[in-house]
Amino acid sequence: MKILDIFKKKNPEDKTKYLYIERDLLVFYVQCEECGEVFRGIVRKNSELFQTFGQSKCEYEINKELIGANCHKKINVNFCLSGNLKVMEKNIHGGKFLTREEFFKLKED
């Protein structure tokens, strides 16, 4: 057993990437749990990123509400980010997060 294996077992969090930095944008992908519609969510770093000013454990927050064309069910997405824009927590209601690869595979079908 390696020393680093001990730390992996203590912190078994999901390391799957769901938030991507593309120049001045933060991009995430979700799928509606009701109808299966897929979304590409975009957040502009310089105008849509909410700074918490120490009122929570996050440095920045993203709160988005998505409504699709097919079923009109609301999908609420929340990301809690550190100062260097790394995801600390993520929550979704009404859908599920997708990786970029899963999103494009579903778009092809």
Side-chain angles (χ1 to χ4, degrees), residues 41-99:
I42 297 173
V43 177
R44 287 164 186 76
K45 288 196 283 188
N46 35 347
S47 64
E48 294 183 89
L49 204 54
F50 175 69
Q51 190 171 9
T52 63
F53 297 105
Q55 296 194 6
S56 76
K57 62 183 174 182
C58 317
E59 184 79 23
Y60 298 99
E61 284 186 9
I62 297 171
N63 295 302
K64 282 284 193 178
E65 184 175 87
L66 306 169
I67 300 174
N70 296 333
C71 71
H72 304 292
K73 180 176 175 141
K74 292 180 184 177
I75 302 171
N76 295 302
V77 177
N78 175 271
F79 285 98
C80 174
L81 306 175
S82 65
N84 59 356
L85 303 180
K86 298 294 182 198
V87 176
M88 296 169 61
E89 289 181 12
K90 63 186 180 318
N91 295 299
I92 188 167
H93 299 285
K96 70 175 187 172
F97 287 109
L98 298 173
T99 63

Side-chain angles (χ1 to χ4, degrees), residues 8 17 30 34 62 67 73 77 88-89 104 106 108:
K8 288 180 185 176
K17 189 170 183 177
V30 298
E34 187 77 21
I62 297 171
I67 300 174
K73 180 176 175 141
V77 177
M88 296 169 61
E89 289 181 12
F104 285 112
L106 289 169
E108 288 176 1

Side-chain angles (χ1 to χ4, degrees), residues 16-30:
T16 305
K17 189 170 183 177
Y18 293 110
L19 188 66
Y20 303 88
I21 298 175
E22 296 178 4
R23 294 182 299 256
D24 295 342
L25 305 175
L26 297 172
V27 180
F28 61 91
Y29 304 94
V30 298

